[in-house]
Amino acid sequence: MSTMDTDVIVIGGGLHGTSTALHLAQKGMRPIVIEKNSVGRHASGVNAGGVRQLLRHPAEIALSIAAMDRWLNLEGLLGRYAAMCEFVGHIGQVAVAETEEDMRPLEARAAEVRRLGWTHEEVIDRNELRRLLPAVAGHCIGGLVSRRDGQATPYLTSQAFRLRAIELGVRFAEGVRVTGLAHGARWEVETSAGHFTSDILINCGGAWAWQVAELVGEALPRGHFAATMMVTARMAPFVTPVVIGTGRQLSFKQTANGTVVIGGGIFGTADLTKETADPIAERLRVSAETCSILFPIMRRATIVRAWAGLEARMPDQIPVIGRSQAAPDMWHAFGFSGHGFQLAPIVGSLLADLIVDGKSPLPIGAFRPSRFNDAKPQVGPVST
Ligand SMILES: Cc1cc2nc3c(=O)[nH]c(=O)nc-3n(C[C@H](O)[C@H](O)[C@H](O)COP(=O)(O)OP(=O)(O)OC[C@H]3O[C@@H](n4cnc5c(N)ncnc54)[C@H](O)[C@@H]3O)c2cc1C
C-alpha cells in the first residue's frame, strides 16, 4: 500500500474534526481527515441539533457566544452550503420552571452569569413564559431564556461542513481506521488502509478519542455514554423555542416539518467496541411522560422513532482542548459531554489559530488535558 503524506492529519470525521480541517484549510494547510466510519456517523450526525448558549458551564460561555456569532453568519463559514444546515437562530432556548424550587437555581444562575460579565441569560416570569411558549402547561411559573439560541439539522450540518471543507481542499479518508501512531522526525500513522505521514496530528476521535491518546501512551478519561432521542409524527406548529426542563430531564423542540424531537439526559446502553448505542424503553416512557406534563398537547403525539448516539463524557463535563502531554505536534479536541454540536464552529477555528498562529483568541486553559493528571483513571461508561 502506498504512503499518503501531508502537513496535518485529523483523526475523526465528526463535526469537530471536520470543522478543524476546514479552518486549517482556510489558513493554507492541506488536512487529511481519517474517519473509521463515515463523516457524521456518530454523535455529530445523530444529536438533537440544539444550538444553545443557555446554561453553559462558565468555562464554555465565551466559546459558546463566539460560536453563536458564527452560527448566525453561517454563510461566511460555509458559503453555498450554509442553507443545508437548516439552522434557525433567534428562536431562543427556554429552561422552564414548574415550581419556586425550580426558579431559585435559575435566578441564581442568571445572577452568576451577570457577575461574570455576560447578559444573555434572562429570568422570565409567568407572562413572558406564556408569550414564548403558549402551549406550556398551566402550572409552569417562569424560566430562564437565552434569546439568540436556535436549532439545526445535525446530519445535514455535518455534510455541509464536509462539503465546504472539500471545496477548500480538505481530503477525507472514510472507512479508514487509525490503528497505530509513532512520532519520529514526523508523524507516522498506521491505518486499515495503509500508511499516512504528517507534521501535525489532531485527535478529534469523539467517544474513542481516549483510545487514540493511548496509542501515544497518554491516559485521558474514558467516559462515554449513549444519549437517547425520540421523534414524533408531524404535528401542527405549537412551539418555536427549544425547551429544556429544570426539575425534570428534558430537551424538546419542534422542527420546521412539524416533527417534535425529544431528548435531554436520557441515557441508553453504550458499547464502544461494537460501536452501538441503544435506547432503553422504560426511560423513553419516562421522557414521553415528562413531555406530556410540560406540554399537554403531547398526549396526542405519536412517537415514530427512537435512537441513541455515542458521546464522550469528561468527569467535569467540559471538553479536552489542547496540546498532547505525551507527544509533540499532537492536539486533542474531544469530550464534549453532550453539548459539543453548538461549539464546533469555534473549536475548529481556535485549534487552527493555535496550530498556525500559536495562540488562541479565547481562554481555553480550563480545557487543558493536564487537568486530569491527579484524577483516578476511569474505566467504561460514566453513566448509562
Ligand atoms: C443523542 C445526542 C444528542 C445531542 N444533542 C446535542 C445538542 O442538542 N446540542 C449540542 O450542542 N450537542 C449535542 N450533543 C453532543 C454533540 O453531538 C457532540 O458533542 C459532538 O457531535 C461531538 O463531535 P465530535 O466530532 O467530537 O465527535 P463525533 O461526532 O463522535 O466524531 C468522532 C469521530 O471520530 C471517529 N474515530 C474515532 N476513533 C477513530 C479512529 N481510531 N480512526 C478513525 N476514526 C476514528 C469516529 O468514528 C467518529 O465519527 C448530542 C449528542 C448525542 C449523542
Side-chain angles (χ1 to χ4, degrees):
M1 281 188 242
S2 60
T3 295
M4 278 193 77
D5 176 59
T6 191
D7 49 11
V8 53
I9 287 174
V10 179
I11 302 173
L15 207 43
H16 284 278
T18 307
S19 172
T20 302
L22 185 161
H23 285 93
L24 285 165
Q26 277 179 337
K27 287 181 170 280
M29 298 195 76
R30 299 173 300 118
I32 296 179
V33 178
I34 303 180
E35 165 55 53
K36 64 181 166 57
N37 302 114
S38 53
V39 168
R41 162 65 185 82
H42 291 290
S44 297
V46 304
N47 65 59
V51 180
R52 171 174 69 83
Q53 299 173 130
L54 184 67
L55 291 169
R56 285 272 169 188
H57 187 290
E60 285 184 347
I61 294 177
L63 271 61
S64 179
I65 287 181
M68 191 60 77
D69 293 342
R70 288 163 196 242
W71 280 101
L72 291 168
N73 177 24
L74 270 187
E75 240 179 86
L77 184 60
L78 301 178
R80 63 193 166 127
Y81 301 109
M84 257 180 90
C85 304
E86 299 183 339
F87 170 69
V88 203
H90 289 296
I91 55 174
Q93 293 230 7
V94 182
V96 173
E98 296 174 76
T99 60
E100 288 298 339
E101 207 182 337
D102 284 353
M103 270 316 278
R104 278 193 289 276
L106 297 182
E107 284 162 356
R109 162 72 187 190
E112 171 68 0
V113 167
R114 265 164 216 280
R115 194 187 63 74
L116 293 170
W118 309 102
T119 55
H120 60 290
E121 295 187 17
E122 265 173 68
V123 171
I124 52 172
D125 63 11
R126 186 187 287 269
N127 289 341
E128 180 62 357
L129 182 71
R130 293 266 166 304
R131 194 186 70 75
L132 292 170
L133 302 173
V136 78
H139 71 278
C140 298
I141 62 167
L144 189 68
V145 65
S146 169
R147 296 188 192 267
R148 288 206 307 172
D149 296 12
Q151 59 170 297
T153 302
Y155 186 71
L156 293 176
T157 301
S158 299
Q159 299 312 313
F161 273 71
R162 179 180 69 90
L163 291 169
R164 177 64 176 147
I166 289 171
E167 196 169 66
L168 293 169
V170 175
R171 285 170 288 170
F172 285 84
E174 294 181 73
V176 176
R177 183 181 297 268
V178 172
T179 53
L181 296 173
H183 192 270
R186 306 177 69 223
W187 278 106
E188 309 282 337
V189 180
E190 290 306 328
T191 77
S192 54
H195 193 71
F196 290 67
T197 52
S198 67
D199 302 311
I200 295 165
L201 188 69
I202 307 175
N203 173 17
C204 294
W208 299 267
W210 62 270
Q211 296 176 350
V212 173
E214 288 189 0
L215 293 176
V216 298
E218 185 167 9
L220 287 167
R222 299 176 175 189
H224 60 275
F225 69 109
T228 300
M229 306 293 308
M230 291 184 277
V231 65
T232 69
R234 292 177 187 211
M235 299 176 75
F238 69 92
V239 58
T240 304
V242 180
V243 177
I244 56 181
T246 303
R248 302 172 198 269
Q249 295 282 13
L250 183 68
S251 129
F252 180 89
K253 63 178 74 67
Q254 189 168 28
T255 64
N257 67 20
T259 59
V260 178
V261 178
I262 304 159
I266 309 295
F267 301 129
T269 51
D271 189 324
L272 272 194
T273 309
K274 292 190 189 138
E275 309 196 355
T276 54
D278 294 299
I280 294 172
E282 172 56 16
R283 295 181 186 171
L284 297 182
R285 190 192 61 73
V286 172
S287 185
E289 202 171 271
T290 302
C291 291
S292 312
I293 293 169
L294 288 183
F295 288 88
I297 191 176
M298 286 296 287
R299 290 193 194 117
R300 303 205 293 267
T302 305
I303 305 288
V304 292
R305 194 161 67 87
W307 70 94
L310 283 168
E311 165 77 329
R313 175 149 142 167
M314 296 297 100
D316 52 7
Q317 314 290 327
I318 56 174
V320 171
I321 305 170
R323 256 182 204 284
S324 163
Q325 303 174 87
D329 297 321
M330 180 175 183
W331 299 79
H332 301 294
F334 71 94
F336 290 91
S337 306
H339 40 258
F341 181 67
Q342 194 262 354
L343 294 176
I346 192 67
V347 172
S349 166
L350 290 182
L351 272 178
D353 288 343
L354 279 161
I355 289 166
V356 178
D357 308 327
K359 56 179 191 293
S360 161
L362 293 171
I364 56 161
F367 311 118
R368 67 197 181 282
S370 64
R371 72 187 192 270
F372 302 114
N373 288 355
D374 298 329
K376 285 194 190 133
Q378 283 178 288
V379 284
V382 172
S383 177
T384 55

